[in-house]
Amino acid sequence: MKEIRSFVKSASLSELEKAKQLIDTAIEKYTQQQEAKKEVLDLLKEKGLTLENLQDVATTDKRTKVKPKYRIEFNGEIVEWTGRGKRPKAFQGVDLTKHLA
């Protein structure tokens, strides 16, 4: 607010009019956004939905799961690897062609 007061004291009439126009535009845009939010919330309430319902849909992972390309038995357990990312310890120093899934 100090900056605004300082600007008002030192600004010319044309600068003040331009600032007023910018402020009026910002207020109008803010008011429109608030009205749009209210409309959306009213529509959600009318349909029996909550914001959490929408967030659940938006956070679903749409990536497809990659099938394992390699399979090996290591310390009595079956270890699978897609061939992507860092090579697991079970596959270190192993000929991968012998362990295709």
Side-chain angles (χ1 to χ4, degrees), residues 17-83:
E17 287 174 345
K18 186 173 181 177
K20 182 182 182 296
Q21 185 180 24
L22 290 171
I23 290 172
D24 289 341
T25 303
I27 290 172
E28 182 179 336
K29 186 174 181 178
Y30 179 82
T31 304
Q32 289 173 350
Q33 288 177 345
Q34 293 302 314
E35 289 173 3
K37 285 179 186 178
K38 185 179 181 318
E39 289 175 17
V40 169
L41 290 174
D42 289 344
L43 181 61
L44 286 173
K45 193 179 286 185
E46 177 184 317
K47 299 293 182 180
L49 297 171
T50 63
L51 289 175
E52 289 77 27
N53 296 127
L54 296 178
Q55 290 173 340
D56 289 342
V57 172
T59 59
T60 58
D61 190 4
K62 296 187 189 306
R63 295 179 291 178
T64 58
K65 184 149 174 89
V66 179
K67 294 180 182 177
K69 188 173 181 180
Y70 306 103
R71 184 177 295 125
I72 192 171
E73 186 174 332
F74 184 73
N75 293 338
E77 294 183 27
I78 300 292
V79 178
E80 295 179 326
W81 180 44
T82 62

Side-chain angles (χ1 to χ4, degrees), residues 87-100:
R87 185 182 287 216
K89 289 181 182 180
F91 291 98
Q92 296 292 330
V94 173
D95 182 15
L96 295 178
T97 58
K98 296 179 183 177
H99 299 286
L100 292 171

